[in-house]
Amino acid sequence: MQMKNILEKFDLIGNQSGVSTGDWLTCRGEMLNSISPIDNQLIGNIRTANREDYEDVIQKAETAFTEWQMVPAPKRGEIVRQMGLALREYKAELGALVTLEMGKIKAEGEGEVQEMIDICDFAVGQSRMLYGLTMHSERPGHRMYEQWHPLGPVGVITAFNFPVAVWAWNAMIALIAGNTVIWKPSSKTPLTAIATMKIMESVLKKNKVPAGVLNLVIGNREQVGESMINDRRLPLISATGSVPMGRHIGQTVAARLGKTILELGGNNGIVVTPEADLDLVTRAILFGAIGTAGQRCTTTRRIIVEDKRFDELSERLIAAYKQVPIGNPLDDNILMGPLVDREAVQTMQKALERFKTEGGFPLYGGEVLTGGIYESGTYVTPCICAAKPGIPIVSEETFAPILYLIAYKGLDQAIEIHNQVPQGLSSAIFTQNLTEAESFLSHQGSDCGIANVNIGTSGAEIGGAFGGEKETGGGRES
Ligand code: NAD
């Protein structure tokens, strides 16, 4: 599918409004350009929202809430079911647009839309399962029961790397529960948000859902982001993004005693034990470390490998990394596309420089590619580094394909190294030894929200609570 066809499919040629309440509004904020990381070319112009536009939307969302909360939950579920059908219809095109605007390979773009479809199915089921407990009261002639009430309009703030799936995880559950939703997407991925909203609108209109139930507000942090997080009319803010963003949003929303769901950065490790199957390990690391060009929250960033297996594993990984086709993510045979922009490439370069000054040793890759499509300055070779425990930059999430290999002696030390970082999203152990696996999964083992055995750190499955501990924020979604 070519760029022009993708944009035409969603009528994205020409200036776009960045604000919808189910109807597109004329908005008054600055213009935003969407640039494709594939070739650094302009693919869209969006007029964003200012504070007044946000105010119009929140008022609509509040009014719509009074009506939407009274619609029976299974009927709300029926509308979400239709949203899932509409997404199935547009899966290839929306997936390709994710690729075009964000740079992940086509299979991953479509996989993201599949997650949207899956959460719709899950939410439809939930719409008939909003159960609460009933209890015998100690007071004669009384019974007690608990029930779930909607909160009101809820704010959903999303990151660039999962530009549509994470919104759906939040929005579909919020909708069946009777809430209205205001979505602020990343300014790096406005077109995917507009296209998603256009798909949703057809369903909203067909079912005569009032304007203000599902809302999109594209705008900058000052005008829209800060307005949302400081707004008492949004009792819940669900925010996905970096740790510094989450720290700020968490504090701001807590200051007004609002609720948050925070899904923040990860620094995900795999422990490779003496009995690990190295074929399995190599495949899992490759998928986890170079998938989405190292820009997943669950990207594998650290390998904690038993001392005696360090050399063999690093040789296998270097051989595998050399085979990875890097290029246009819209092409079927490509496994790694660009980073999201040149700034991300610079961040990666700076991190590698700092790593060397802190005593680390790069083993392979890390170059910025040039020539042909690479002239965009957004393509890099994925990097493998030999690190020692305690190197400061290894404790940080650099959102790029840098993989640190650290040797350990004894499982206790492996777990100590594993848990040394402040983030706590996803983790894995590769072993054939049941005791080692159980130790890793126990409360003495991995301190992450997600712990795996013999499978890598990436991936979320609808229905399994997804989220992390420590600085990852403690949220649970999907
Ligand atoms: P980011 O923190 O730069 O931005 C995330 C979102 O927060 C954007 O929409 C941004 O505009 C908004 N934002 C930033 N400051 C704000 C403020 N003051 N008020 C309101 N909104 C504000 O993150 P990014 O670069 O887009 O995404 C990458 C990061 O997201 C990585 O750290 C990654 O690990 C994390 N992430 C986490 C998960 C998860 O589920 N744990 C999923 C995806 C991404």
Side-chain angles (χ1 to χ4, degrees), residues 156-163 166 169 183-189 219-222 224-230 237 239-246 248-249 252 262-268 295-299 301 340 397-399 425 466-468 472-473 475 477:
V156 179
I157 296 174
T158 52
F160 81 83
N161 67 326
F162 277 94
V166 168
W169 287 3
W183 177 20
K184 191 202 91 56
S186 163
S187 295
K188 292 181 183 175
T189 50
N220 65 30
R221 285 172 202 184
E222 295 73 36
V224 174
E226 288 293 329
S227 300
M228 285 175 73
I229 63 179
N230 284 290
I237 297 283
T240 302
S242 58
V243 169
M245 174 284 282
H248 173 71
I249 291 183
T252 308
L262 296 175
E263 297 283 359
L264 311 176
N267 192 352
N268 316 293
Q295 299 167 110
R296 291 186 196 137
C297 50
T298 54
T299 290
R301 305 200 181 279
V340 69
E397 180 199 45
T398 303
F399 217 51
L425 182 51
F466 178 87
T472 302
E477 280 178 357

Side-chain angles (χ1 to χ4, degrees), residues 261-294:
I261 300 172
L262 296 175
E263 297 283 359
L264 311 176
N267 192 352
N268 316 293
I270 293 182
V271 174
V272 180
T273 65
E275 291 173 42
D277 172 343
L278 283 195
D279 288 336
L280 206 62
V281 170
T282 307
R283 279 201 299 274
I285 295 176
L286 201 63
F287 177 74
I290 67 134
T292 322

Side-chain angles (χ1 to χ4, degrees), residues 43-100:
I43 52 171
N45 301 302
I46 300 96
R47 172 70 67 190
T48 61
N50 65 8
R51 273 198 197 90
E52 289 73 35
D53 298 322
Y54 167 73
E55 184 57 34
D56 292 346
V57 173
I58 179 75
Q59 286 183 16
K60 270 258 169 11
E62 271 200 304
T63 310
F65 173 65
T66 56
E67 211 174 309
W68 183 245
Q69 66 170 338
M70 298 314 292
V71 175
K75 291 216 163 112
R76 298 192 294 251
E78 165 54 20
I79 290 163
V80 168
R81 189 185 71 79
Q82 292 177 35
M83 289 174 172
L85 293 181
L87 286 166
R88 282 175 169 88
E89 211 178 300
Y90 286 96
K91 179 174 166 184
E93 291 85 359
L94 186 57
L97 182 61
V98 168
T99 297
L100 184 64

